[in-house]
Amino acid sequence: MEYEPLCPKFESAFELLGKRWTGLIIRALLSGPKRFKDISGMIPNMSDRMLAERFKELESAGLLVRHVYPETPVRIEYELTQKGRDLEAALNEVQRWADTWMTKAAVQRD
Amino acid sequence: MEYEPLCPKFESAFELLGKRWTGLIIRALLSGPKRFKDISGMIPNMSDRMLAERFKELESAGLLVRHVYPETPVRIEYELTQKGRDLEAALNEVQRWADTWMTKAAVQRD
């Protein structure tokens, strides 16, 4: 059989990416480093608490780094690592699929 | 700003695909229609109850259809729709990314 019985890497990737807002956060960061407020402004339905949690998860998974610039006031930016940026093709494919197949009704049902 | 503030289609797609086992089930079906036991044999860590639940979700989302052949004993097969098969490129991209970046340690930590 060609199919590998169990692929924990694939499954882990989808568990990470499948968390609410994670895909959108990564996409927002693909255009360059951003501050907390930049991202929260782009995803108005997401709470700040949720964004802080997602940032921690993504940092822990090695997808983003946090830069602290010791200015006054302090400036903090979030930037994708190479591992994070390398998701662009996958996210684009999911977006293409969603644009083709996810009808308004399907989105509302969820 | 180029970035669309909120893309519910993209988010819905990831919420659907991000559920545990869903990606693996779709990948298993990409090679053609399968019976319940074919899939459960391919993903040994997943319970039959979970597989039944996922099949229902995927059917309800229009990604697969259930064929009942009135033989003795009755034969039931699950087949991806065009909408389901069209996920192949996205799943392959996630697999490529996972193969490149998900280390054994990262998988175990999750």
Side-chain angles (χ1 to χ4, degrees):
Chain A
M1 193 189 306
E2 275 180 57
Y3 182 80
E4 198 180 334
L6 186 70
C7 181
K9 288 182 181 182
F10 179 80
E11 198 54 25
S12 292
F14 256 117
E15 272 174 50
L16 176 69
L17 301 176
K19 287 198 174 178
R20 195 157 168 74
W21 311 120
T22 296
L24 288 175
I25 293 166
I26 295 170
R27 290 195 70 202
L29 287 169
L30 280 169
S31 55
K34 303 261 180 311
R35 286 175 307 176
F36 194 99
K37 285 199 167 179
D38 299 330
I39 304 286
S40 63
M42 285 167 156
I43 314 177
N45 288 3
M46 175 185 56
S47 71
D48 282 359
R49 189 173 165 171
M50 179 64 83
L51 179 55
E53 198 179 303
R54 290 291 176 266
F55 273 153
K56 274 187 199 155
E57 289 164 3
L58 292 171
E59 195 178 354
S60 157
L63 271 70
L64 66 78
V65 285
R66 188 170 175 268
H67 300 290
V68 181
Y69 300 97
E71 300 166 2
T72 308
V74 68
R75 183 163 55 97
I76 299 174
E77 287 190 348
Y78 298 85
E79 181 176 24
L80 291 180
T81 59
Q82 202 189 335
K83 178 177 178 179
R85 284 193 303 273
D86 193 40
L87 276 167
E88 185 164 16
L91 298 183
N92 284 345
E93 265 304 323
V94 172
Q95 179 69 66
R96 184 199 60 74
W97 181 83
D99 285 340
T100 309
W101 294 102
M102 295 302 257
T103 60
K104 223 170 181 175
V107 171
Q108 281 166 350
R109 195 180 50 214
D110 296 340
Chain B
M1 191 190 306
E2 278 181 56
Y3 183 77
E4 199 179 336
L6 186 69
C7 182
K9 288 180 180 182
F10 178 81
E11 198 54 26
S12 292
F14 256 118
E15 273 174 48
L16 177 69
L17 301 177
K19 286 198 173 176
R20 194 158 169 75
W21 311 119
T22 296
L24 287 175
I25 294 167
I26 295 170
R27 290 195 70 202
L29 286 168
L30 280 170
S31 56
K34 303 261 180 309
R35 287 175 306 174
F36 195 99
K37 286 200 167 179
D38 298 330
I39 304 286
S40 64
M42 285 167 157
I43 314 177
N45 288 2
M46 176 185 55
S47 71
D48 282 358
R49 189 175 167 170
M50 178 63 84
L51 180 55
E53 197 179 306
R54 290 289 176 267
F55 272 152
K56 275 187 197 155
E57 289 165 1
L58 292 172
E59 194 177 355
S60 156
L63 270 72
L64 66 77
V65 285
R66 188 168 174 270
H67 300 290
V68 181
Y69 299 97
E71 301 165 1
T72 307
V74 68
R75 184 163 56 98
I76 299 174
E77 287 190 349
Y78 299 85
E79 182 176 24
L80 291 180
T81 60
Q82 202 189 335
K83 180 177 178 179
R85 284 193 303 273
D86 193 39
L87 276 167
E88 184 164 16
L91 298 183
N92 284 344
E93 265 304 325
V94 173
Q95 180 69 67
R96 184 199 58 76
W97 181 83
D99 285 340
T100 309
W101 295 103
M102 296 302 258
T103 61
K104 220 169 183 175
V107 170
Q108 281 166 349
R109 195 179 51 214
D110 296 339

